[in-house]
Amino acid sequence: MTSDQHPPEKMMFQLSLRRRGISDQAVLRTMEEVPRDLFVEEADRDAAYRDSALPIACGQTISQPFVVAYMTEQLQLQKKHRVLEIGAGSGYQAAVLSRLAGQVLTVERYRKLAEAARARLEKLGCHNVEVMLGDGLNLPANIGPFDRIIVTAAMEQLPENLVERLEVGGILIAPIGPHHGVQTLVRFSRTEAGIERKELVEVRFVPALPGVAREL
């Protein structure tokens, strides 16, 4: 089934986002335009527009649409922004970011996921996205700084070297908490005076793991 064959599901998809409080029109428009069914496993395409997380390769998941929209809205993106994403997964979040920001660098530790995400993003014409195979917890020193950073895997605590890559006036959003349980989505804002922290909602993400995967 292609993305053009989902009209009832896509209508409910949009309605669900609005009902749950997503109000940024640019985010809603982007969520409507990016074909989510192209980023899920073929067996799950009929469920692509349900508000639930779905499994993808390498034991990872594609986040539920509300969480994608909510995290994106919290970033307050502008076309001038350079964005770092930790955890490319299937590439869906990066595709959403690409429509709202100037440049996106997304880092993935699994080669299989990175290559598949790169192919999908190229096919969709997301030419402002770079997919990098690497360790999101130990990035090269020459990467950054960024206006926005989004982490799509659970971190027990936020690495200081990630915060240091955030520009003054920048926003970082990440799920903080135990790897196997409920995390809190936290928004960090960098000001001239330091880092401001605001806890948002409870979420569940797969763990952020160190290193590049030796297999897959």
Side-chain angles (χ1 to χ4, degrees):
M1 184 176 284
T2 68
S3 57
D4 293 332
Q5 295 174 288
H6 284 283
E9 291 90 344
K10 288 191 80 170
M11 286 177 63
M12 290 304 298
F13 172 79
Q14 283 288 309
L15 186 59
S16 172
L17 294 178
R18 287 180 166 87
R19 282 178 172 168
R20 296 195 65 182
I22 305 300
S23 59
D24 186 306
Q25 292 304 306
V27 172
L28 288 166
R29 184 167 58 250
T30 298
M31 294 293 293
E32 183 174 17
E33 291 171 352
V34 174
R36 182 175 164 89
D37 51 298
L38 298 186
F39 292 88
V40 303
E41 298 295 302
E42 191 170 349
D44 290 319
R45 286 189 177 167
D46 285 344
Y49 291 96
R50 295 177 191 163
D51 194 26
S52 60
L54 293 170
I56 58 173
C58 306
Q60 304 301 292
T61 59
I62 177 174
S63 296
Q64 70 186 88
F66 170 73
V67 171
V68 173
Y70 183 80
M71 292 179 76
T72 303
E73 187 174 61
Q74 290 294 321
L75 288 174
Q76 301 171 19
L77 291 167
Q78 299 177 27
K79 282 293 186 182
K80 65 181 180 180
H81 289 152
R82 185 170 184 236
V83 183
L84 171 65
E85 179 190 25
I86 304 298
S90 68
Y92 179 63
Q93 177 73 75
V96 171
L97 296 171
S98 76
R99 304 240 175 166
L100 298 165
Q103 290 181 294
V104 179
L105 172 63
T106 182
V107 181
E108 177 53 57
R109 70 187 298 268
Y110 292 101
R111 184 179 299 277
K112 180 177 181 178
L113 288 179
E115 290 176 351
R118 188 179 295 116
R120 291 188 188 100
L121 291 162
E122 287 177 359
K123 183 178 179 180
L124 283 177
C126 300
H127 302 306
N128 61 338
V129 180
E130 177 186 352
V131 181
M132 184 180 87
L133 178 67
D135 180 357
L137 299 177
N138 187 24
L139 296 169
N142 63 342
I143 291 180
F146 296 91
D147 303 294
R148 300 290 187 266
I149 299 175
I150 179 171
V151 181
T152 57
M155 292 182 161
E156 292 179 317
Q157 58 186 14
L158 192 66
E160 188 60 34
N161 68 352
L162 201 55
V163 178
E164 290 170 354
R165 295 173 197 271
L166 194 62
E167 292 270 24
V168 173
I171 296 171
L172 184 157
I173 189 163
I176 306 296
H179 279 175
H180 302 288
V182 177
Q183 303 96 34
T184 300
L185 201 58
V186 182
R187 185 178 68 208
F188 301 86
S189 303
R190 183 164 206 150
T191 70
E192 295 285 358
I195 300 295
E196 296 178 356
R197 171 186 172 125
K198 182 177 181 181
E199 296 188 355
L200 300 171
V201 295
E202 291 187 346
V203 289
R204 284 181 182 268
F205 278 85
V206 295
L209 300 175
V212 175
R214 293 185 179 182
E215 299 179 0
L216 304 176

mmCIF file of all heavy atoms in Angstrom, residues 39-56:
data_model
loop_
_atom_site.group_PDB
_atom_site.id
_atom_site.type_symbol
_atom_site.label_atom_id
_atom_site.label_comp_id
_atom_site.label_asym_id
_atom_site.label_seq_id
_atom_site.Cartn_x
_atom_site.Cartn_y
_atom_site.Cartn_z
ATOM 1 N N PHE A 39 8.620 4.801 5.910
ATOM 2 C CA PHE A 39 9.668 4.680 6.927
ATOM 3 C C PHE A 39 9.445 3.522 7.890
ATOM 4 O O PHE A 39 10.198 3.355 8.842
ATOM 5 C CB PHE A 39 9.780 5.992 7.710
ATOM 6 C CG PHE A 39 10.320 7.132 6.894
ATOM 7 C CD1 PHE A 39 9.471 7.937 6.151
ATOM 8 C CD2 PHE A 39 11.683 7.388 6.845
ATOM 9 C CE1 PHE A 39 9.968 8.986 5.387
ATOM 10 C CE2 PHE A 39 12.191 8.430 6.084
ATOM 11 C CZ PHE A 39 11.331 9.233 5.354
ATOM 12 N N VAL A 40 8.402 2.732 7.665
ATOM 13 C CA VAL A 40 8.140 1.570 8.519
ATOM 14 C C VAL A 40 8.409 0.304 7.729
ATOM 15 O O VAL A 40 8.566 0.329 6.506
ATOM 16 C CB VAL A 40 6.686 1.578 9.054
ATOM 17 C CG1 VAL A 40 6.399 2.868 9.819
ATOM 18 C CG2 VAL A 40 5.674 1.387 7.936
ATOM 19 N N GLU A 41 8.481 -0.816 8.431
ATOM 20 C CA GLU A 41 8.665 -2.100 7.753
ATOM 21 C C GLU A 41 7.443 -2.391 6.885
ATOM 22 O O GLU A 41 6.317 -1.996 7.201
ATOM 23 C CB GLU A 41 8.849 -3.211 8.785
ATOM 24 C CG GLU A 41 10.088 -3.044 9.673
ATOM 25 C CD GLU A 41 11.386 -3.133 8.887
ATOM 26 O OE1 GLU A 41 11.618 -4.165 8.236
ATOM 27 O OE2 GLU A 41 12.169 -2.169 8.929
ATOM 28 N N GLU A 42 7.671 -3.104 5.789
ATOM 29 C CA GLU A 42 6.584 -3.370 4.837
ATOM 30 C C GLU A 42 5.388 -4.035 5.506
ATOM 31 O O GLU A 42 4.234 -3.705 5.211
ATOM 32 C CB GLU A 42 7.108 -4.256 3.697
ATOM 33 C CG GLU A 42 6.140 -4.367 2.551
ATOM 34 C CD GLU A 42 6.752 -5.032 1.332
ATOM 35 O OE1 GLU A 42 7.982 -5.215 1.292
ATOM 36 O OE2 GLU A 42 5.973 -5.370 0.415
ATOM 37 N N ALA A 43 5.646 -4.939 6.446
ATOM 38 C CA ALA A 43 4.559 -5.650 7.129
ATOM 39 C C ALA A 43 3.714 -4.727 8.000
ATOM 40 O O ALA A 43 2.577 -5.066 8.352
ATOM 41 C CB ALA A 43 5.131 -6.779 7.979
ATOM 42 N N ASP A 44 4.264 -3.552 8.354
ATOM 43 C CA ASP A 44 3.556 -2.629 9.258
ATOM 44 C C ASP A 44 2.949 -1.426 8.531
ATOM 45 O O ASP A 44 2.468 -0.498 9.176
ATOM 46 C CB ASP A 44 4.525 -2.111 10.337
ATOM 47 C CG ASP A 44 4.913 -3.205 11.317
ATOM 48 O OD1 ASP A 44 4.027 -3.990 11.698
ATOM 49 O OD2 ASP A 44 6.099 -3.269 11.689
ATOM 50 N N ARG A 45 2.981 -1.427 7.203
ATOM 51 C CA ARG A 45 2.525 -0.233 6.488
ATOM 52 C C ARG A 45 1.051 0.088 6.707
ATOM 53 O O ARG A 45 0.672 1.250 6.710
ATOM 54 C CB ARG A 45 2.852 -0.364 4.991
ATOM 55 C CG ARG A 45 4.337 -0.161 4.751
ATOM 56 C CD ARG A 45 4.719 -0.070 3.312
ATOM 57 N NE ARG A 45 6.155 0.195 3.208
ATOM 58 C CZ ARG A 45 6.860 0.091 2.106
ATOM 59 N NH1 ARG A 45 6.243 -0.241 0.971
ATOM 60 N NH2 ARG A 45 8.159 0.337 2.105
ATOM 61 N N ASP A 46 0.236 -0.923 6.917
ATOM 62 C CA ASP A 46 -1.176 -0.654 7.188
ATOM 63 C C ASP A 46 -1.367 0.053 8.531
ATOM 64 O O ASP A 46 -2.396 0.688 8.755
ATOM 65 C CB ASP A 46 -1.983 -1.961 7.185
ATOM 66 C CG ASP A 46 -2.204 -2.497 5.775
ATOM 67 O OD1 ASP A 46 -2.004 -1.726 4.814
ATOM 68 O OD2 ASP A 46 -2.567 -3.684 5.635
ATOM 69 N N ALA A 47 -0.374 -0.061 9.418
ATOM 70 C CA ALA A 47 -0.460 0.570 10.738
ATOM 71 C C ALA A 47 0.350 1.858 10.824
ATOM 72 O O ALA A 47 0.463 2.452 11.897
ATOM 73 C CB ALA A 47 0.031 -0.405 11.807
ATOM 74 N N ALA A 48 0.879 2.318 9.697
ATOM 75 C CA ALA A 48 1.823 3.445 9.712
ATOM 76 C C ALA A 48 1.238 4.716 10.310
ATOM 77 O O ALA A 48 1.956 5.501 10.931
ATOM 78 C CB ALA A 48 2.322 3.719 8.291
ATOM 79 N N TYR A 49 -0.054 4.944 10.111
ATOM 80 C CA TYR A 49 -0.655 6.209 10.554
ATOM 81 C C TYR A 49 -1.405 6.089 11.878
ATOM 82 O O TYR A 49 -2.090 7.024 12.286
ATOM 83 C CB TYR A 49 -1.549 6.780 9.445
ATOM 84 C CG TYR A 49 -0.705 7.243 8.275
ATOM 85 C CD1 TYR A 49 -0.495 6.405 7.183
ATOM 86 C CD2 TYR A 49 -0.055 8.473 8.301
ATOM 87 C CE1 TYR A 49 0.323 6.810 6.138
ATOM 88 C CE2 TYR A 49 0.762 8.879 7.261
ATOM 89 C CZ TYR A 49 0.947 8.045 6.180
ATOM 90 O OH TYR A 49 1.769 8.437 5.149
ATOM 91 N N ARG A 50 -1.264 4.961 12.548
ATOM 92 C CA ARG A 50 -1.805 4.844 13.906
ATOM 93 C C ARG A 50 -0.857 5.558 14.863
ATOM 94 O O ARG A 50 0.343 5.619 14.628
ATOM 95 C CB ARG A 50 -1.948 3.378 14.310
ATOM 96 C CG ARG A 50 -2.967 2.626 13.473
ATOM 97 C CD ARG A 50 -3.013 1.159 13.854
ATOM 98 N NE ARG A 50 -3.787 0.395 12.893
ATOM 99 C CZ ARG A 50 -3.747 -0.929 12.774
ATOM 100 N NH1 ARG A 50 -2.974 -1.636 13.594
ATOM 101 N NH2 ARG A 50 -4.472 -1.550 11.862
ATOM 102 N N ASP A 51 -1.389 6.046 15.974
ATOM 103 C CA ASP A 51 -0.554 6.777 16.921
ATOM 104 C C ASP A 51 0.130 5.805 17.873
ATOM 105 O O ASP A 51 -0.179 5.742 19.066
ATOM 106 C CB ASP A 51 -1.386 7.806 17.691
ATOM 107 C CG ASP A 51 -0.500 8.808 18.425
ATOM 108 O OD1 ASP A 51 0.651 9.023 17.977
ATOM 109 O OD2 ASP A 51 -0.940 9.368 19.446
ATOM 110 N N SER A 52 1.053 5.048 17.305
ATOM 111 C CA SER A 52 1.792 4.084 18.113
ATOM 112 C C SER A 52 3.187 3.915 17.533
ATOM 113 O O SER A 52 3.407 4.130 16.342
ATOM 114 C CB SER A 52 1.065 2.727 18.142
ATOM 115 O OG SER A 52 0.943 2.200 16.835
ATOM 116 N N ALA A 53 4.122 3.545 18.407
ATOM 117 C CA ALA A 53 5.473 3.221 17.949
ATOM 118 C C ALA A 53 5.429 1.880 17.221
ATOM 119 O O ALA A 53 4.585 1.032 17.506
ATOM 120 C CB ALA A 53 6.420 3.148 19.142
ATOM 121 N N LEU A 54 6.345 1.699 16.268
ATOM 122 C CA LEU A 54 6.395 0.456 15.504
ATOM 123 C C LEU A 54 7.834 -0.048 15.447
ATOM 124 O O LEU A 54 8.775 0.753 15.436
ATOM 125 C CB LEU A 54 5.869 0.687 14.082
ATOM 126 C CG LEU A 54 4.380 1.027 13.948
ATOM 127 C CD1 LEU A 54 4.064 1.470 12.528
ATOM 128 C CD2 LEU A 54 3.519 -0.167 14.350
ATOM 129 N N PRO A 55 8.010 -1.369 15.399
ATOM 130 C CA PRO A 55 9.370 -1.908 15.334
ATOM 131 C C PRO A 55 9.999 -1.687 13.961
ATOM 132 O O PRO A 55 9.310 -1.714 12.937
ATOM 133 C CB PRO A 55 9.165 -3.405 15.601
ATOM 134 C CG PRO A 55 7.761 -3.675 15.138
ATOM 135 C CD PRO A 55 6.982 -2.425 15.440
ATOM 136 N N ILE A 56 11.309 -1.432 13.948
ATOM 137 C CA ILE A 56 12.072 -1.389 12.711
ATOM 138 C C ILE A 56 13.272 -2.317 12.881
ATOM 139 O O ILE A 56 13.363 -3.021 13.886
ATOM 140 C CB ILE A 56 12.509 0.057 12.351
ATOM 141 C CG1 ILE A 56 13.349 0.677 13.488
ATOM 142 C CG2 ILE A 56 11.300 0.926 12.034
ATOM 143 C CD1 ILE A 56 13.950 2.028 13.149
#
